Amino acid sequence: IMNKQIVEELYKNRLLVTNEEVVKFENSLNEIAQVIEEDDILDLCNVFDDNTKDDEMMFGVIHLIEILQATTLKKVRMLKLP
């Protein structure tokens, strides 16, 4: 539930028009990075918006998903080790 609230905050501020939206988006991105789970990926993808005023911040979301994917792969490989 907490992750959903953080993603909702990202979604509300995704256009990054004002400095306040940028700060809230960045804070939420840092917050979700600490607790992200695989189940959050679909919700995170909904944050992407072509009309955003700051493409670099959107790359932060992509990077977060990439980190989660790498972490998940490491866990799977460890489970497969004899």
Side-chain angles (χ1 to χ4, degrees):
I1 295 173
M2 182 179 153
N3 290 11
K4 293 263 188 214
Q5 292 170 334
I6 299 168
V7 173
E8 284 176 18
E9 190 69 19
L10 286 167
Y11 185 82
K12 284 192 290 189
N13 294 291
R14 74 192 182 286
L15 295 181
L16 304 164
V17 175
T18 66
N19 190 50
E20 182 181 356
E21 286 179 343
V22 171
V23 169
K24 286 182 178 181
F25 190 92
E26 191 170 26
N27 288 342
S28 296
L29 195 58
N30 289 331
E31 193 175 344
I32 194 77
Q34 305 302 314
V35 294
I36 191 170
E37 298 176 3
E38 285 180 62
D39 294 340
D40 299 322
I41 292 176
L42 184 58
D43 291 331
L44 275 174
C45 287
N46 290 326
V47 171
F48 293 113
D49 194 307
D50 289 339
N51 296 315
T52 188
K53 300 297 180 199
D54 190 338
D55 292 335
E56 284 297 315
M57 293 296 275
M58 290 296 143
F59 284 113
V61 177
I62 293 170
H63 183 65
L64 186 59
I65 293 171
E66 290 173 338
I67 290 171
L68 178 62
Q69 180 184 14
T71 302
T72 301
L73 283 173
K74 285 179 188 175
K75 287 179 186 176
V76 168
R77 287 182 183 145
M78 289 177 73
L79 290 174
K80 291 183 177 182
L81 291 177

